[in-house]
Amino acid sequence: MLLVRLILLAASLFLLAPESYAFPSFEDFWRYTCSPGGFNKRAFAKAKRQSNEAGVTGAIGTLDLACVQSAREIAIYLNAYKKWQNSTDSKPEPKFNNRVSRVLIGKAFNKLFGQYKKQKQNPELLYNLGIAYALKGDVWAVNRLDEVSNKFSSSRRAPFATLALAEFFFDKDGLARAQRYYDRAARVKNPAVKFYRQYKMAWVDYA
């Protein structure tokens, strides 16, 4: 599943990266990788407040809330799975439950799309709409994220949109296209993005 895979990949990046790398801020990087540091109560509270606001802020806040909630669901599942592995009881293997985050992603998408009809030239809005499409597994993610990456290449979201495109194609087994986007994302002067590109290229080479 895309959502689970994104979080686990982000967790791997967080654990494998040397301390000398300056990671982007939580707000900048997590929207596609879904909380690389795991569930964060403060981030959850902040996203919940923002999700109740009107306009673009509320729409993005709802998507933020969905991703932080998804990190919470992953943490619950991994904890349950670890206990199950170490148990001597013959209990059934725990199942992953992401119903709440999926509902929130749907709500976020509806809010973002409603705002997009009014503000089609807002790169922040386009980026988050692209992420919502990607989390739904919808190919329209490519159009929105590519627009941010190319048309709004000077925006702060452009390198992350490019990275998100790489992740989208990687998940869809479009490894050649994924590599092109990873290479493009690595051109920016951001050590975290470059490190992540190296990490994922190892997966591309392995595949």
Side-chain angles (χ1 to χ4, degrees):
M1 188 189 333
L2 176 62
L3 196 57
V4 176
R5 189 171 180 180
L6 293 175
I7 298 170
L8 293 179
L9 286 173
S12 300
L13 172 63
F14 182 81
L15 293 172
L16 292 173
E19 293 181 0
S20 59
Y21 282 101
F23 281 91
S25 69
F26 183 81
E27 288 79 10
D28 274 338
F29 197 52
W30 73 271
R31 285 193 180 96
Y32 200 73
T33 55
C34 290
S35 297
F39 176 62
N40 184 304
K41 290 183 179 179
R42 290 180 63 185
F44 185 85
K46 178 182 177 182
K48 193 169 185 178
R49 288 195 305 271
Q50 289 182 335
S51 69
N52 292 321
E53 296 185 25
V56 175
T57 301
I60 293 175
T62 305
L63 184 61
D64 289 355
L65 186 61
C67 280
V68 180
Q69 171 63 28
S70 70
R72 185 181 196 175
E73 292 164 348
I74 284 289
I76 291 171
Y77 169 74
L78 292 178
N79 185 54
Y81 187 82
K82 185 177 181 181
K83 288 182 178 179
W84 175 78
Q85 276 190 317
N86 296 329
S87 175
T88 56
D89 299 331
S90 57
K91 294 181 180 179
E93 182 178 337
K95 294 182 179 180
F96 177 62
N97 182 350
N98 67 340
R99 287 194 296 268
V100 176
S101 63
R102 299 307 299 178
V103 169
L104 286 169
I105 289 170
K107 288 182 178 179
F109 174 81
N110 291 335
K111 287 184 178 182
L112 288 163
F113 192 75
Q115 293 300 315
Y116 169 70
K117 293 178 180 178
K118 306 173 186 177
Q119 304 181 48
K120 294 189 176 182
Q121 302 301 310
N122 183 333
E124 185 78 14
L125 180 57
L126 285 170
Y127 172 78
N128 282 278
L129 181 59
I131 297 307
Y133 271 122
L135 291 173
K136 284 163 62 71
D138 195 314
V139 294
W140 274 98
V142 176
N143 300 66
R144 300 286 76 84
L145 293 170
D146 199 56
E147 191 172 357
V148 177
S149 179
N150 291 301
K151 188 175 179 180
F152 300 99
S153 57
S154 60
S155 74
R156 72 189 186 102
R157 290 299 182 197
F160 297 102
T162 306
L163 194 60
L165 282 164
E167 290 287 274
F168 185 81
F169 285 113
F170 183 92
D171 193 73
K172 299 292 184 183
D173 293 325
L175 299 184
R177 294 185 73 176
Q179 183 167 359
R180 288 198 295 271
Y181 282 115
Y182 283 129
D183 289 343
R184 192 201 298 181
R187 293 173 193 165
V188 300
K189 294 180 180 180
N190 187 314
V193 173
K194 291 180 178 179
F195 176 82
Y196 193 67
R197 182 259 179 197
Q198 293 172 347
Y199 168 71
K200 291 308 289 287
M201 281 303 94
W203 281 86
V204 172
D205 292 341
Y206 175 78

